[in-house]
Amino acid sequence: MSRIPLIAGNWKMFKTVDETVKYVKELRGLVKDIQGVEIVLAPPFTALHPAAEAARNSNVAVAAQDMFWEREGAFTGEISAHMIREAGAEFVIIGHSERRTLFGETNTTVNRKVLAAFAAGLVPIACIGETLDQRERGETFDVLDRQVQQGLDGVSAERIGQLVIAYEPVWAIGTGRTATSDQAQEAHAHIRSRLRQWFGPEAAEACHVIYGGSVKPDNIRDLIVQPDVDGALVGGASLDIRGFAEIVTKSRASAA
Ligand code: PEP
């Protein structure tokens, strides 16, 4: 497998500028010798630029947690992909389940954001995943199919190869309940088979499909060894620098 594991920390609405700079400076020291893992941190918007400055010339990259699809204009409260790129971020999380559930995001808005992110030179981390009800009704694959098909409509095969898809079962986010490694592998393999069908084998092989949902130092190893699990989107556990560094380290060791 040629995909390098990618571990991204989603801090949600946690950490001030001060806390962010301290964290990034310490983390870059802890992971400076780690090769073969892409490390990404997603602080709140206010800390994006300080995080990028603190991570400059290191193996830690920065992501925004959301964006708006227009470049500029009368959109009070919104931030564009162009602004995020200029602040020093290279990635942007799009369509996180909290954005879908609490802020009305849909596959259509996800699609507009994914297209705009690529146009601005950002790598989207596009989040998909089923709710517990949907899983229990046996609708998981249908839900994932709609999220992939509609969310990635109009994206070229070349860009699919650069994309990161985060499979995050909603029932596993922030609940302490992780999908089993078999459940994760099954969903990831399904997503990759659809990418192969809709965008071609090369794009499907190059696209990172990472797992999110209560990932911790003690469960990353079981997940990362699955052939279609290419890394993790880590929420709560990424707030603790030692825990996050351990997840990064274990991803590399397991992948080798
Ligand atoms: C997330 O926020 O994407 C996430 C997976 O959160 P947690 O790891 O806390 O479940």
Side-chain angles (χ1 to χ4, degrees), residues 8-12 93 96-98 127 166-177 211-216 232-239:
N10 172 20
W11 288 356
K12 313 192 187 202
I93 298 171
H96 188 279
S97 78
E98 285 151 18
C127 301
Y167 167 63
E168 300 205 297
V170 178
W171 47 271
I173 298 179
T175 58
R177 193 176 157 187
Y211 170 81
S214 300
V215 172
K216 307 219 164 17
L233 183 53
V234 186
S238 71
L239 296 171

